[in-house]
Amino acid sequence: MCRLVLMVCFPPRRIVCLTEETVETLYLLGEQHRIVGVSGYAVRPPEVRRDKPRVAAFTSADIPKILALTPDLVLTFSDLQAGIAADLIRAGLAVHAFNQRDIAGILAMVRTVGALVGAASRAEALAQGYEARLAAISAAAAGRRRPKVYFEEWDEPLISGIGWVSELIAISGGEDVFADRARQHAARDRIVSADAVATAAPDVILASWCGKKVAVDRIRQRTGWATIPAVRNGRIVEIKSSMILQPGPAALTDGLDAIVAALRETG
């Protein structure tokens, strides 16, 4: 009965976030006091690792631990957490599943999270700030040479960048060599061959392997890649996955800044 009472309160008092971008958004809105459980991947802001209990990885979650926290709202992300969401719904919890895969979706997520916690005006101001920042960076890059960029999301197999990453490359003044694949939501649909990368001849290689450190030397030593401009000129840059592979504020700030810096160094 208590759980049912909690479920209908507005704004929700006890929120579990199963991915990191909603955690960061709630902190930025000053609503972090509502968070009672987070993903183990949540690292922004740094204090979240100290202040909030971890209840999930990404495709797995400790359902009994989540239920023990008596949340009145659980925030999930994508089809990869559909099974977790279904288990929580069957247990009687309220669940909101986000599925943003591009910049417009990220901004909508920020606004939606704000609306869910009764902070719509603050969320709107935050989103408008990001929009202005994106526009300013895009304007600053206009008219410059657009280096060709290969973004590597995974190494075995090679997986190219998802939608928001490709858009951020374009905003930064680059040309994503696999922009056509970026519209594909599933990683398996963004698999590319080593030969295709070599043929694309990127000027810059940006790499962010989710959950593990990028091995730049291994990239450099791949068969047939010695003539790729990025390899030949030493333009292989790692971007931390926590900055660029979560579709939220981090990607629009630190992730974007990392791309801008990498392209600027290309000249």
Side-chain angles (χ1 to χ4, degrees):
M1 178 65 69
C2 178
R3 187 174 300 138
L4 289 175
V5 171
L6 286 171
M7 275 172 39
V8 298
C9 75
F10 179 84
R13 295 189 294 265
R14 300 177 62 81
I15 300 175
V16 168
C17 301
L18 297 188
T19 53
E20 57 269 40
E21 63 277 354
T22 51
V23 172
E24 184 174 14
T25 299
L26 285 167
Y27 269 87
L28 289 168
L29 293 175
E31 299 291 335
Q32 65 270 22
H33 59 280
R34 302 182 188 279
I35 303 173
V36 296
V38 300
S39 160
Y41 290 103
V43 297
R44 296 171 64 96
E47 57 265 30
V48 70
R49 296 183 68 83
R50 179 189 68 240
D51 296 344
K52 306 296 181 181
R54 288 173 280 179
V55 298
F58 182 55
T59 58
S60 63
D62 188 332
I63 302 297
K65 191 171 183 179
I66 293 172
L67 294 176
L69 293 170
T70 62
D72 43 28
L73 179 64
V74 180
L75 301 178
T76 70
F77 172 72
S78 86
D79 58 301
L80 295 176
Q81 293 190 334
I84 299 171
D87 288 342
L88 294 172
I89 291 168
R90 292 189 192 101
L93 297 185
V95 176
H96 185 102
F98 288 100
N99 203 22
Q100 68 275 16
R101 306 302 178 106
D102 53 22
I103 291 175
I106 293 173
L107 295 170
M109 179 275 295
V110 169
R111 290 178 166 110
T112 300
V113 169
L116 288 170
V117 298
S121 61
R122 275 174 280 149
E124 181 62 30
L126 185 62
Q128 287 186 11
Y130 292 142
E131 289 171 334
R133 189 172 193 272
L134 293 167
I137 290 174
S138 179
R144 296 179 182 171
R145 184 180 77 86
R146 299 182 68 82
K148 294 190 294 182
V149 181
Y150 163 54
F151 186 95
E152 186 168 289
E153 186 177 303
W154 194 246
D155 63 325
E156 295 178 344
L158 303 183
I159 298 176
S160 59
I162 198 168
W164 70 85
V165 174
S166 182
E167 290 178 320
L168 291 174
I169 288 170
I171 287 169
S172 302
E175 176 190 342
D176 178 9
V177 296
F178 295 115
D180 58 327
R181 294 177 184 265
R183 293 186 291 273
Q184 301 298 322
H185 291 182
R188 65 177 177 274
D189 295 325
R190 290 181 279 111
I191 293 174
V192 298
S193 69
D195 287 346
V197 177
T199 298
D203 300 297
V204 181
I205 294 175
L206 303 177
S208 186
W209 300 347
C210 188
K212 66 179 181 180
K213 184 173 176 57
V214 171
V216 173
D217 284 343
R218 275 175 35 205
I219 295 176
R220 188 182 298 116
Q221 294 165 9
R222 287 173 183 164
T223 301
W225 282 31
T227 59
I228 293 177
V231 175
R232 190 174 64 243
N233 299 321
R235 298 307 312 138
I236 304 172
V237 180
E238 177 179 13
I239 299 179
K240 291 181 180 180
S241 58
S242 61
M243 289 165 46
I244 193 66
L245 293 185
Q246 59 110 319
L252 305 185
T253 55
D254 291 351
L256 176 58
D257 288 347
I259 296 174
V260 169
L263 301 196
R264 183 183 299 122
E265 291 175 16
T266 304

